[in-house]
Amino acid sequence: MNCLAVLTCSCALLLLVDVQGGLLPPCDSELYCDGEILRQVQTAKLFDDDKYFVDMKLRSNPEVVLSAFRNLTNEFPNATLPPSKLLEFVNRFFEEPGTELEPWSPPDWHDNPAFLQKVADQSLHKWAEKLHILWKSLGRKIRSDVEQHPELYSQIYTPHPVIVPGGRFRELYYWDSYWVINGLLLSEMTDTAAGMIQNFLYLVNRYGFIPNGGRIYYERRSQPPFLTLMVESYYQATQDKEFLRAALPTLEREYLFWMENRSVTVPVNGTEHVLNRHHVQVGLPRPESYSDDVELAEGLPEGAKEKLWMELNAGAESGWDFSSRWYVGGGGQNSGTLRDVRTGQIVPSDLNALLCRNERTLASFHSILGASSKVVHYEQAAARRMKALEAVLWDPDRGAWFDYSLVTNSSHTAFYPSNLAPLWAQCYSQPTMSDKAVEYLKESGALQFPNGVPTSLKESGQQWDYPNAWPPLQHMLIEGLSKLPSEDAQQAAFELAQKWIRTNHLAYDRYEAMFEKYDVNGDGKPGGGGEYEVQLGFGWTNGVALQLLDQYGGRLTAQSSRVSSSSFLLLLSLPSALLIV
């Protein structure tokens, strides 16, 4: 692919770039996104987690708090408060996080949803009942005061209650909610699922897109756009055409945002292909990880700091925050450290596979509603994207769709589960491509681990790398394999489902908790690494487990053999130096 050149799309909403064309802060708040109070509190590390401070509620109007801070800093050298005075100030003018939310038990929860009858193993059946109950503990409702006095909160108001991920993630999150909603629908909680979708529709109508999560400091970045697939899941469960009809214009508005603000044009042999990327024009530290971002940029020139923070924001938008997947160091090919993150300069396989599936789904929605011209429009868009995926990302020799670097004009060929995302999206033109992709997966070494497929084979210390395995990536891989006609692929899907359910079940037995990620080597061991401690709860983990129990419940067992015979043979054939450290 050394013939490629790249032209970036110049389209941008005014929301994302100021009138001078410069970079913006994460939001317009002088308290939660920019300014001296944020800088001094976060760099003083008054709290173990930077997110704690920016989730706190104000006790007084912002103008009062800002004025009081200015007056207080005038009494100290360099207008900098010592930590003890700073903590006194915070305690005087801020309340602890969580006061903006109240517990909420979903009224449509009930015992014995039908999917439980599919789970034959008695231990797994009892566990599935407990997972079903967990929805009640993750329900939250935003207090009315947030709508009436939004200036006092970082919380973004949404009109309907939500199921939150859990732990430090007190608010709704975008792509997490796809697997949460699928789990809710299996639990026959259609009203709760509908309310969550309506919240996202509300956010698109307010912002033009869906922020990363339900805080104002996420207002200028999104996450992988799963809203169209949420509506698809809901429609498949309810056949509610009026819900679909009402939602469709908003789904198209979100799609337009991604095409106008997150696209690049890549010429290949005289043909221009439009693909998408994560690209956030915010040039300041992320408020919820402020001290980490400041420390990472220490010693860099101001312009380089802005570029690094912009790339970190893009990495957060990807959902993979952070991973060697986004590194472009001096050696290329995902080399380097977090300082070498270049998320906005990488064309990701999974984002484009998702948008391909969205385009096909939008076409199907218009077909259901009888709008034939729109059907043609989105079918053509999907066909163009499939052609682009195969021209730019597909490697016929290796048998996978690799991310493409706009820095080096080359493919990144390291293993990540995202290399197989077009299988999940069914966005490929020839059956032989899926056969090659299955062989690629087998030969990659990623199937050798007893507790799932790792997020990479590189141990970088980042949480979206080895040895962590994440629920959405397991599910996308399993779903993609299970859709293929070959018995080999379907058996691989089942074996991965068995491994994943077993490690989730073991962890629950040991800790009475579900975690956001797991270690592929330790039976029931939570994952680690990254910017914060592993979180429990956990919305998308519950949703994925319920989906796998629904799909394979008649065959799954709580006590499976550690490695199947086919996997054992594969293990014997692996090279000794598999992992890159």
Side-chain angles (χ1 to χ4, degrees):
M1 293 291 186
N2 55 10
C3 60
L4 298 183
V6 177
L7 302 172
T8 59
C9 177
S10 61
C11 302
L13 293 182
L14 292 177
L15 175 66
L16 301 177
V17 185
D18 70 13
V19 292
Q20 287 80 33
L23 301 177
L24 289 177
C27 74
D28 293 333
S29 170
E30 291 184 67
L31 289 163
Y32 292 114
C33 290
D34 195 7
E36 270 300 294
I37 295 178
L38 178 69
R39 186 189 69 80
Q40 291 198 31
V41 170
Q42 300 292 49
T43 56
K45 298 188 176 182
L46 296 184
F47 307 103
D48 292 337
D49 184 349
D50 285 356
K51 191 176 186 297
Y52 188 93
F53 173 66
V54 290
D55 287 359
M56 297 177 87
K57 180 208 168 193
L58 292 172
R59 297 182 189 271
S60 304
N61 286 334
E63 296 78 11
V64 173
V65 178
L66 290 165
S67 176
F69 188 77
R70 284 191 294 268
N71 291 338
L72 185 59
T73 55
N74 288 336
E75 301 174 12
F76 294 90
N78 301 317
T80 300
L81 300 184
S84 60
K85 291 294 183 183
L86 200 53
L87 186 58
E88 286 179 15
F89 178 86
V90 170
N91 289 336
R92 178 182 174 192
F93 286 101
F94 293 83
E95 296 180 8
E96 65 180 20
T99 58
E100 70 277 21
L101 301 166
E102 58 187 43
W104 173 78
S105 185
D108 56 347
W109 187 94
H110 62 86
D111 289 319
N112 298 319
F115 85 90
L116 288 173
Q117 305 314 310
K118 299 180 181 180
V119 185
D121 183 281
Q122 286 304 302
S123 293
L124 293 182
H125 188 100
K126 291 177 181 177
W127 176 57
E129 290 177 334
K130 294 175 182 177
L131 297 185
H132 174 58
I133 292 172
L134 278 178
W135 295 131
K136 295 198 286 187
S137 66
L138 294 172
R140 301 290 186 273
K141 183 178 181 180
I142 298 175
R143 296 185 187 276
S144 59
D145 191 61
V146 177
E147 181 183 21
Q148 295 161 7
H149 300 286
E151 72 280 1
L152 301 180
Y153 299 88
S154 66
Q155 176 75 53
I156 297 173
Y157 175 78
T158 49
H160 300 279
V162 300
I163 301 295
V164 299
R168 74 196 285 265
F169 302 113
R170 305 172 183 90
E171 53 285 308
L172 65 80
Y173 281 82
Y174 185 7
W175 78 314
D176 298 58
S177 296
Y178 173 63
W179 288 274
V180 170
I181 285 168
N182 286 341
L184 291 172
L185 292 170
L186 283 172
S187 288
E188 299 169 8
M189 298 168 64
T190 53
D191 291 344
T192 299
M196 290 186 67
I197 294 170
Q198 287 167 338
N199 283 336
F200 289 123
L201 297 171
Y202 169 89
L203 291 170
V204 175
N205 288 325
R206 176 175 173 179
Y207 292 104
F209 68 102
I210 296 172
N212 182 149
R215 297 282 175 179
I216 61 172
Y217 50 76
Y218 295 141
E219 280 184 342
R220 291 193 171 110
R221 70 184 197 236
S222 188
Q223 271 192 335
F226 273 89
L227 178 59
T228 294
L229 301 190
M230 295 179 200
V231 173
E232 178 187 43
S233 294
Y234 182 81
Y235 179 75
Q236 289 172 346
T238 66
Q239 297 297 300
D240 188 340
K241 279 191 180 182
E242 292 312 307
F243 188 95
L244 177 59
R245 193 185 309 277
L248 188 50
T250 305
L251 301 182
E252 293 184 289
R253 183 178 179 187
E254 187 199 26
Y255 173 76
L256 187 62
F257 166 83
W258 282 87
M259 296 311 299
E260 290 185 345
N261 296 281
R262 298 291 191 269
S263 64
V264 291
T265 301
V266 185
V268 183
N269 297 330
T271 301
E272 293 188 343
H273 299 281
V274 177
L275 289 165
N276 290 78
R277 61 174 172 164
H278 299 286
H279 186 62
V280 181
Q281 300 198 49
V282 168
L284 288 176
R286 295 165 296 146
E288 78 283 7
S289 300
Y290 191 99
S291 64
D292 290 329
D293 290 2
V294 169
E295 290 171 5
L296 186 65
E298 189 173 351
L300 294 176
E302 286 305 309
K305 287 181 180 180
E306 283 192 353
K307 289 180 180 178
L308 175 58
W309 292 332
M310 182 175 166
E311 297 293 359
L312 291 172
N313 276 281
E317 179 174 271
S318 77
W320 289 50
D321 43 340
F322 290 100
S323 171
S324 63
R325 183 183 175 194
W326 308 129
Y327 295 176
V328 185
Q333 288 297 309
N334 307 109
S335 64
T337 68
L338 190 56
R339 266 203 178 189
D340 299 300
V341 65
R342 298 291 184 273
T343 316
Q345 302 303 313
I346 291 172
V347 179
S349 173
D350 49 355
L351 174 62
N352 285 283
L354 171 59
L355 284 164
C356 181
R357 185 164 168 179
N358 283 350
E359 287 158 346
R360 287 178 162 173
T361 305
L362 289 170
S364 74
F365 287 168
H366 282 292
S367 178
I368 291 167
L369 299 175
S372 57
S373 62
K374 287 291 190 77
V375 173
V376 172
H377 172 78
Y378 286 108
E379 285 180 343
Q380 290 176 343
R384 288 192 298 270
R385 189 177 300 276
M386 184 188 300
K387 185 177 179 181
L389 279 165
E390 295 178 6
V392 181
L393 305 183
W394 170 249
D395 186 323
D397 296 324
R398 291 183 172 91
W401 296 262
F402 295 110
D403 295 344
Y404 183 79
S405 169
L406 307 179
V407 178
T408 62
N409 289 339
S410 64
S411 298
H412 282 177
T413 57
F415 173 80
Y416 300 95
S418 52
N419 298 346
L420 297 166
L423 285 186
W424 166 80
Q426 296 185 296
C427 190
Y428 54 92
S429 62
Q430 302 297 324
T432 54
M433 298 171 79
S434 65
D435 296 336
K436 287 184 177 182
V438 173
E439 287 305 308
Y440 162 79
L441 177 62
K442 287 181 177 180
E443 293 171 5
S444 70
L447 296 179
Q448 71 154 318
F449 301 95
N451 298 302
V453 173
T455 311
S456 78
L457 299 177
K458 179 172 183 175
E459 193 164 7
S460 70
Q462 299 302 325
Q463 63 173 349
W464 288 83
D465 270 315
Y466 178 87
N468 289 337
W470 289 82
L473 304 187
Q474 308 302 306
H475 189 259
M476 292 172 76
L477 192 54
I478 292 166
E479 184 180 336
L481 292 169
S482 71
K483 289 176 179 177
L484 299 179
S486 78
E487 291 184 10
D488 193 27
Q490 291 182 25
Q491 180 61 22
F494 171 72
E495 289 184 8
L496 289 175
Q498 177 66 84
K499 289 179 180 182
W500 189 247
I501 287 298
R502 181 170 181 264
T503 197
N504 281 216
H505 181 251
L506 281 171
Y508 195 90
D509 273 358
R510 188 172 299 163
Y511 302 104
E512 293 190 4
M514 298 289 283
F515 295 94
E516 62 171 349
K517 57 185 179 279
Y518 295 85
D519 187 314
V520 293
N521 296 309
D523 289 341
K525 180 182 177 182
E531 299 176 316
Y532 55 84
E533 295 299 318
V534 65
Q535 302 295 297
L536 55 84
F538 198 86
W540 65 9
T541 313
N542 306 353
V544 167
L546 294 186
Q547 286 179 269
L548 296 179
L549 290 167
D550 177 66
Q551 183 174 1
Y552 295 111
R555 300 169 62 192
L556 293 170
T557 60
Q559 297 298 324
S560 63
S561 59
R562 282 184 59 86
V563 184
S564 69
S565 58
S566 61
S567 297
F568 182 69
L569 291 174
L570 177 63
L571 182 58
L572 292 178
S573 69
L574 289 171
S576 58
L578 174 66
L579 298 180
I580 305 168
V581 181

